Amino acid sequence: MSFTLEQKFNALCQITRASHFEWREAFIKMFPDLDPADAVMKYWEIVGRDTAKAFLKRIDRDKPVAPQIAEMIVNSSLAMGESANMTVESDGSVRLVHSDCPWFDWHKKYDALEEDQPGCDCWFQTIVKDVNQELNTNVRVETMSSLPTGDENCTRIFSEE
């Protein structure tokens, strides 16, 4: 049986998500007295730092940074099977919307929904913080809605002063 490149990539994305929850389970079993949420936040902080490094290589410093960050997040999300889009608002802020996200489903499956939005928020905030430090910019990101809280989607607003 032969698989297409897309099928192979989709399987790899699922394996990656499964691995996240498997290491979380190992942490819980190894350290039953510690809160796994602390380890999860550290994980997303590390992922955010690595993501920011990758994004910084592609940012055009002569253009507004917030839309570039949002566009790279959309592209990354789409590549990983998420549903994401962005719009630049009339005030220059950027609305980033995830209407479907496999991470949300995995968090429900593993009874870890309380870690979903905080983990994502940590990832977004770390990216923005590291980009701001490197470029001396003032990009901000704010979560307006999220699937884990019962909203229709996850919406974040990126703005830049």
Side-chain angles (χ1 to χ4, degrees), residues 21 24 28 105-115:
F21 290 95
R24 182 184 176 277
I28 291 168
D105 298 329
W106 280 82
H107 278 93
K108 282 193 303 189
K109 177 180 174 180
Y110 282 88
D111 196 27
L113 206 51
E114 71 281 355
E115 296 171 4

Side-chain angles (χ1 to χ4, degrees), residues 13 16 20 25 44 47-48 58 82 96 102 118 127 139 141 145:
C13 287
T16 299
H20 171 81
E25 182 180 343
W44 284 114
V47 174
R58 296 190 202 122
E82 301 167 16
L96 174 64
I127 293 168
V139 175
V141 60
S145 65

Side-chain angles (χ1 to χ4, degrees), residues 48-49 51-53 55-56 59 65-66 69-70 73 121-142 156-160:
R49 291 197 185 291
T51 304
K53 288 175 190 172
F55 284 7
L56 282 162
I59 289 177
V65 174
I69 293 172
I73 290 170
D121 287 346
C122 179
W123 182 68
F124 283 106
Q125 293 292 342
T126 302
I127 293 168
V128 166
K129 178 183 172 211
D130 287 8
V131 168
N132 283 338
Q133 285 178 342
E134 180 69 24
L135 301 181
N136 197 29
T137 52
N138 192 15
V139 175
R140 298 177 193 261
V141 60
E142 181 180 359
R156 290 176 174 84
I157 303 294
F158 289 79
S159 59
E160 188 171 356

Side-chain angles (χ1 to χ4, degrees), residues 1-15:
M1 183 155 135
S2 179
F3 294 100
T4 67
L5 185 58
E6 182 177 1
Q7 289 170 320
K8 290 176 184 177
F9 187 76
N10 288 336
L12 183 58
C13 287
Q14 294 294 57
I15 291 167

